[in-house]
Amino acid sequence: MKLEPHIRLAHGNGGRYMRELIDGLFAARLGEQGLDTTVDAAMVDVPQGVRMMMTTDGFTVDPLEFPGGNIGSLAIHGTVNDLAVGGAFPLYLTLNAFIEEGTETALLERIVDALAAAATEAGVKVVAGDTKVLARGECGGVYLATTGLGVVPASHKLGQQYVQPGDKLIVTGGVGDHGTAVLLAREEYGLRGDLKSDSASVLPITEMLMKRPGLRFMRDPTRGGLATVALDLARESELSINMEENAIPLSEPVQAVCELLGYDPLYLACEGRVVAVIAADEADDAVQELRLSGVAPDAAVIGTIGEKKGAVTLTTSLGGQRLIDELEDDPLPRIC
Amino acid sequence: MKLEPHIRLAHGNGGRYMRELIDGLFAARLGEQGLDTTVDAAMVDVPQGVRMMMTTDGFTVDPLEFPGGNIGSLAIHGTVNDLAVGGAFPLYLTLNAFIEEGTETALLERIVDALAAAATEAGVKVVAGDTKVLARGECGGVYLATTGLGVVPASHKLGQQYVQPGDKLIVTGGVGDHGTAVLLAREEYGLRGDLKSDSASVLPITEMLMKRPGLRFMRDPTRGGLATVALDLARESELSINMEENAIPLSEPVQAVCELLGYDPLYLACEGRVVAVIAADEADDAVQELRLSGVAPDAAVIGTIGEKKGAVTLTTSLGGQRLIDELEDDPLPRIC
């Protein structure tokens, strides 16, 4: 069945066109994932004796395609990663698509192709979905929402409540790559570069870290970046965090673009990194293992947890102390 | 904490404004539901030894508020009902909100109020959420997506594969009420009326029906209406369905509006009805019980399953036979 070249309002009507869109575009790519389009709700098999975790995330990235991925792969990685850093193993995902009338069918096909490939790679099944078609001007192309269900090993003891003064903060790769790659893809500034988004499943990273008894906390620094994760953690744990600017991995292109345009990479989104807190006596080992195994070649210890309530500071490369503040305005809308 | 009167792009930035929106507006209303805004993924307790079901649905109804509900209550009912007609008992929901810059905070508050009330009434917890803020002109006000997780009794034997020739088709109330109420709320035609959407949880209905061993199949006739449910069922079961026009419950206002504007109520959305197939010897009893208990006062037997492959026919009030066709164009975009 050959679909028309553009999505029409009738593709959202519940009737024949919608069935053609669902069967011809979505189910054709997600059937192996277990998507059954003949039911409104999908049965899922869950092993006995486990705890479960749910998460959801919306995606509005602009442009829809960027170096290193598109909104489809991003929607899988984002939700898989929220479960992964929660200490869960993702099993099932659901997918919502809000599609603007006039969207090219070929673009939508590339998005769902990337989504299916990312789901297969992360070992999750897309078991249920829904599409809505919006009139021209009522949507910015395509918005997606994915919801994930995962299982949590019985040994799960992760969270800000386990973080203690003296623990170390690590990050598993360069910060700001995703935000900068999307920024460049907009071509608003006449800048071009080879920079790719870091969008990826962090499951290999979290699986490696979770074998360590000293692991206290994990989070993925998406919207708001590393700085926002640190601020949230400091507030919720009622502890302080000091980070070393020199220790924070930052690629040259990200640094160059940020300096040119006045962005602070600490606030820019990553989509394939983990920020973790780990006991001081295990931190160097953990980072070595991540680096040498190739799972996260640029992982680094970047800071220390302190006792002062709620503050996040940065020791700059010149040796000064900078207080890290919460984001006020939005530096980059529609980054994820 | 008093929120500003309108939503700004900064409310989606991951920083302070977003935290104020999440804590001050969403968590303030959904905290009792179990929403914990300090984690990206929520632990959910699931009883042992059960099967589970997942479903997801997107909501783009225009206008956002209509007689009988708003997009918030609709988003709960839609997903609760997809689980309910699948034979599941809903336990947990997640929520995505896509919000246009400039949306009135008071409107958003009413939406989340209605959402919280509907969740409480249906006995489900909203355990995780995500918000995105879109620039003016990139979203039609507010879009929501809800994803539900439910448990399925071990006795579950529902689906089109159990439908047999001779079985009866029932509907649990007037058709087209939601579609017509939203149509009137748009005030595009200068029409006004007292008609309310039927948007409601169908759990009391499905719980009553599921006690009957002769229950074969349930579906809620939302987008595409009763006709589309019948067509899907006929196609998937490879059986035919004959419906009696005179038997289909239809309120006077819905009939009047449809005649005036040229809509066919069989294709208009309901949001609180169930279409069910039940063994012939139990159908009248089931309908009587639904009616007399007050759970569905207008429930009726409306048709019979036949052997002819895939056809849906309507015996009209004049005694003729009409073939029911699949929807082609979208009669009413953004109805749900």
Side-chain angles (χ1 to χ4, degrees):
Chain A
M1 183 171 42
K2 180 76 182 148
L3 288 163
E4 299 171 57
H6 295 90
I7 301 301
R8 299 199 290 134
L9 271 183
H11 284 113
N13 67 0
R16 180 166 71 88
Y17 286 100
M18 187 168 108
R19 192 159 51 79
E20 287 181 5
L21 174 68
I22 302 300
D23 289 348
L25 202 154
F26 286 92
R29 288 162 176 80
L30 295 167
E32 283 177 41
Q33 306 287 340
L35 185 69
D36 178 356
T37 61
T38 68
V39 292
D40 276 345
M43 295 290 290
V44 292
D45 285 322
V46 174
Q48 296 297 308
V50 293
R51 297 162 75 199
M52 311 208 63
M53 190 169 262
M54 267 185 106
T55 189
T56 196
D57 220 342
F59 301 88
T60 63
V61 66
D62 174 35
L64 296 169
E65 299 178 296
F66 47 82
N70 66 29
I71 192 172
S73 50
L74 188 66
I76 297 292
H77 295 149
T79 288
V80 161
N81 291 353
D82 279 347
L83 289 171
V85 296
F89 293 88
L91 294 179
Y92 302 107
L93 258 63
T94 64
L95 172 69
N96 295 92
F98 298 88
I99 306 164
E100 187 173 6
E101 179 190 18
T103 296
E104 278 184 41
T105 304
L107 169 62
L108 201 55
E109 286 172 340
R110 292 195 298 276
I111 289 170
V112 183
D113 279 336
L115 190 149
T120 300
E121 198 201 328
V124 295
K125 289 182 191 232
V126 179
V127 291
D130 186 62
T131 59
K132 292 286 182 287
V133 179
L134 286 310
R136 268 172 225 275
E138 290 181 350
C139 178
V142 176
Y143 303 147
L144 300 179
T146 47
T147 305
L149 183 68
V151 292
V152 184
S155 59
H156 180 282
K157 261 198 168 181
L158 276 178
Q160 60 270 13
Q161 68 271 34
Y162 301 109
V163 174
Q164 298 165 26
D167 287 349
K168 294 295 180 185
L169 190 72
I170 73 173
V171 68
T172 63
V175 301
D177 290 24
H178 176 73
T180 313
V182 171
L183 186 70
L184 288 181
R186 290 185 191 162
E187 299 184 349
E188 288 172 359
Y189 302 97
L191 293 174
R192 283 164 182 275
D194 295 331
L195 188 68
K196 274 190 183 178
S197 165
D198 57 314
S199 179
S201 158
V202 299
L203 276 169
I205 295 173
T206 58
E207 285 180 42
M208 191 170 277
L209 284 172
M210 281 174 67
K211 292 184 186 142
R212 299 195 167 265
L215 180 69
R216 320 278 200 210
F217 170 91
M218 295 191 289
R219 184 92 32 111
D220 55 332
T222 57
R223 206 169 13 168
L226 171 63
T228 299
V229 168
L231 285 160
D232 285 348
L233 173 60
R235 190 176 52 251
E236 290 156 15
S237 67
E238 301 188 343
L239 294 168
S240 62
I241 300 173
N242 180 258
M243 297 189 289
E244 299 279 339
E245 188 172 27
N246 278 340
I248 298 172
L250 185 65
S251 76
E252 275 184 41
V254 171
Q255 190 164 18
V257 170
C258 284
E259 280 179 8
L260 203 62
L261 300 178
Y263 287 104
D264 185 339
L266 296 187
Y267 293 88
L268 294 187
C270 311
E271 292 288 347
R273 311 298 185 209
V274 176
V275 176
V277 177
I278 191 159
D281 59 354
E282 288 185 63
D284 288 330
D285 261 13
V287 163
Q288 280 302 310
E289 188 188 9
L290 287 168
R291 295 175 74 111
L292 295 176
S293 64
V295 161
D298 298 322
V301 175
I302 60 165
T304 306
I305 310 298
E307 292 190 1
K308 197 173 153 196
K309 200 170 166 178
V312 178
T313 52
L314 183 76
T315 303
T316 67
S317 48
L318 300 172
Q321 288 283 315
R322 179 184 143 200
L323 196 66
I324 299 290
D325 281 325
E326 263 194 303
L327 267 185
E328 292 281 331
D329 284 321
D330 194 348
L332 277 175
R334 295 189 61 181
I335 207 69
C336 60
Chain B
M1 183 172 45
K2 180 76 183 148
L3 288 164
E4 297 170 57
H6 295 91
I7 301 301
R8 299 200 289 134
L9 270 183
H11 283 113
N13 67 0
R16 181 166 71 85
Y17 286 100
M18 187 168 108
R19 191 158 53 79
E20 287 181 6
L21 174 67
I22 301 299
D23 289 347
L25 202 154
F26 286 92
R29 287 163 175 81
L30 296 167
E32 283 177 40
Q33 307 286 342
L35 185 68
D36 177 355
T37 60
T38 67
V39 292
D40 276 343
M43 294 290 289
V44 292
D45 285 322
V46 174
Q48 295 297 308
V50 294
R51 296 161 77 198
M52 311 207 62
M53 191 170 261
M54 267 184 108
T55 189
T56 195
D57 220 343
F59 300 88
T60 64
V61 67
D62 173 34
L64 296 169
E65 299 179 296
F66 47 81
N70 66 30
I71 193 172
S73 49
L74 188 66
I76 296 293
H77 294 148
T79 288
V80 162
N81 291 352
D82 278 347
L83 290 171
V85 297
F89 294 87
L91 294 179
Y92 302 106
L93 258 63
T94 64
L95 172 68
N96 296 92
F98 298 89
I99 306 165
E100 188 173 7
E101 179 189 18
T103 296
E104 277 184 43
T105 304
L107 169 62
L108 201 55
E109 286 172 340
R110 292 196 298 275
I111 289 170
V112 183
D113 279 338
L115 190 149
T120 301
E121 199 201 328
V124 294
K125 287 181 193 238
V126 179
V127 292
D130 185 63
T131 60
K132 292 286 181 289
V133 179
L134 286 311
R136 270 173 224 274
E138 290 180 350
C139 177
V142 177
Y143 304 146
L144 300 179
T146 47
T147 305
L149 183 67
V151 292
V152 185
S155 59
H156 181 283
K157 262 200 169 181
L158 275 179
Q160 60 271 11
Q161 67 272 34
Y162 299 109
V163 174
Q164 301 164 23
D167 288 348
K168 294 295 180 184
L169 189 72
I170 72 173
V171 68
T172 63
V175 300
D177 290 25
H178 176 75
T180 314
V182 171
L183 187 70
L184 289 180
R186 288 184 191 162
E187 298 184 350
E188 288 172 359
Y189 302 97
L191 294 174
R192 282 163 183 276
D194 294 331
L195 188 69
K196 274 190 182 176
S197 165
D198 57 313
S199 179
S201 159
V202 300
L203 276 170
I205 295 173
T206 57
E207 284 180 40
M208 191 171 278
L209 284 172
M210 281 174 67
K211 291 183 186 142
R212 297 196 169 264
L215 181 70
R216 320 275 200 213
F217 170 90
M218 296 191 288
R219 184 92 33 111
D220 55 333
T222 57
R223 207 168 12 168
L226 172 62
T228 299
V229 168
L231 285 161
D232 285 348
L233 174 59
R235 190 178 51 250
E236 291 158 13
S237 66
E238 302 189 343
L239 294 169
S240 62
I241 300 174
N242 180 257
M243 298 191 288
E244 299 278 339
E245 188 171 27
N246 279 340
I248 298 171
L250 186 64
S251 78
E252 275 183 40
V254 172
Q255 190 164 19
V257 170
C258 284
E259 281 179 9
L260 203 61
L261 300 178
Y263 286 105
D264 185 339
L266 296 186
Y267 292 88
L268 293 187
C270 311
E271 291 288 347
R273 312 297 186 210
V274 177
V275 176
V277 176
I278 192 160
D281 59 353
E282 288 185 64
D284 288 329
D285 261 13
V287 163
Q288 280 301 311
E289 188 188 9
L290 287 168
R291 295 175 74 111
L292 296 175
S293 65
V295 161
D298 298 322
V301 175
I302 60 165
T304 306
I305 309 299
E307 291 190 3
K308 198 174 152 194
K309 199 169 167 179
V312 178
T313 53
L314 184 76
T315 303
T316 68
S317 47
L318 300 173
Q321 288 283 315
R322 180 184 142 201
L323 196 66
I324 300 288
D325 281 325
E326 264 195 306
L327 266 184
E328 291 282 331
D329 283 323
D330 194 348
L332 278 174
R334 293 189 64 181
I335 208 68
C336 60

PDB file of all heavy atoms in Angstrom, chain B residues 69 136 222 243 258 308 326:
ATOM      1  N   GLY B  69     -17.444  18.743  30.281  1.00  0.00           N
ATOM      2  CA  GLY B  69     -16.059  18.394  30.558  1.00  0.00           C
ATOM      3  C   GLY B  69     -15.075  19.349  29.929  1.00  0.00           C
ATOM      4  O   GLY B  69     -15.455  20.395  29.400  1.00  0.00           O
ATOM      5  N   ARG B 136       3.999  30.605  20.427  1.00  0.00           N
ATOM      6  CA  ARG B 136       2.718  30.984  19.817  1.00  0.00           C
ATOM      7  C   ARG B 136       2.663  30.517  18.383  1.00  0.00           C
ATOM      8  O   ARG B 136       3.598  30.711  17.615  1.00  0.00           O
ATOM      9  CB  ARG B 136       2.593  32.512  19.809  1.00  0.00           C
ATOM     10  CG  ARG B 136       1.951  33.085  21.024  1.00  0.00           C
ATOM     11  CD  ARG B 136       2.035  34.601  21.000  1.00  0.00           C
ATOM     12  NE  ARG B 136       2.416  35.114  22.314  1.00  0.00           N
ATOM     13  CZ  ARG B 136       1.535  35.363  23.281  1.00  0.00           C
ATOM     14  NH1 ARG B 136       0.257  35.183  23.073  1.00  0.00           N
ATOM     15  NH2 ARG B 136       1.946  35.814  24.441  1.00  0.00           N
ATOM     16  N   THR B 222     -15.210   6.000  20.136  1.00  0.00           N
ATOM     17  CA  THR B 222     -14.749   7.388  20.164  1.00  0.00           C
ATOM     18  C   THR B 222     -14.630   7.894  18.722  1.00  0.00           C
ATOM     19  O   THR B 222     -15.625   7.915  18.015  1.00  0.00           O
ATOM     20  CB  THR B 222     -13.431   7.495  20.937  1.00  0.00           C
ATOM     21  OG1 THR B 222     -12.465   6.635  20.353  1.00  0.00           O
ATOM     22  CG2 THR B 222     -13.623   7.072  22.390  1.00  0.00           C
ATOM     23  N   MET B 243     -27.228  -3.924  12.107  1.00  0.00           N
ATOM     24  CA  MET B 243     -27.763  -3.074  13.177  1.00  0.00           C
ATOM     25  C   MET B 243     -29.162  -2.598  12.792  1.00  0.00           C
ATOM     26  O   MET B 243     -29.466  -2.423  11.611  1.00  0.00           O
ATOM     27  CB  MET B 243     -26.846  -1.868  13.401  1.00  0.00           C
ATOM     28  CG  MET B 243     -25.438  -2.262  13.846  1.00  0.00           C
ATOM     29  SD  MET B 243     -24.423  -0.856  14.409  1.00  0.00           S
ATOM     30  CE  MET B 243     -24.077  -0.024  12.865  1.00  0.00           C
ATOM     31  N   CYS B 258     -27.700  16.876  13.920  1.00  0.00           N
ATOM     32  CA  CYS B 258     -27.171  16.097  12.794  1.00  0.00           C
ATOM     33  C   CYS B 258     -28.006  16.300  11.547  1.00  0.00           C
ATOM     34  O   CYS B 258     -27.465  16.434  10.439  1.00  0.00           O
ATOM     35  CB  CYS B 258     -27.114  14.610  13.153  1.00  0.00           C
ATOM     36  SG  CYS B 258     -25.730  14.235  14.241  1.00  0.00           S
ATOM     37  N   LYS B 308     -21.783 -13.476   7.179  1.00  0.00           N
ATOM     38  CA  LYS B 308     -21.247 -12.911   5.943  1.00  0.00           C
ATOM     39  C   LYS B 308     -19.955 -12.128   6.232  1.00  0.00           C
ATOM     40  O   LYS B 308     -19.911 -11.323   7.143  1.00  0.00           O
ATOM     41  CB  LYS B 308     -22.297 -11.979   5.330  1.00  0.00           C
ATOM     42  CG  LYS B 308     -22.055 -11.669   3.871  1.00  0.00           C
ATOM     43  CD  LYS B 308     -23.225 -10.865   3.320  1.00  0.00           C
ATOM     44  CE  LYS B 308     -22.793  -9.983   2.191  1.00  0.00           C
ATOM     45  NZ  LYS B 308     -23.805  -8.964   1.874  1.00  0.00           N
ATOM     46  N   GLU B 326     -16.736   2.756   5.421  1.00  0.00           N
ATOM     47  CA  GLU B 326     -15.680   3.406   6.205  1.00  0.00           C
ATOM     48  C   GLU B 326     -15.690   4.903   5.974  1.00  0.00           C
ATOM     49  O   GLU B 326     -16.007   5.373   4.879  1.00  0.00           O
ATOM     50  CB  GLU B 326     -14.311   2.861   5.799  1.00  0.00           C
ATOM     51  CG  GLU B 326     -13.824   1.760   6.682  1.00  0.00           C
ATOM     52  CD  GLU B 326     -12.338   1.508   6.474  1.00  0.00           C
ATOM     53  OE1 GLU B 326     -11.917   1.283   5.343  1.00  0.00           O
ATOM     54  OE2 GLU B 326     -11.606   1.541   7.469  1.00  0.00           O
TER      55      GLU B 326
END
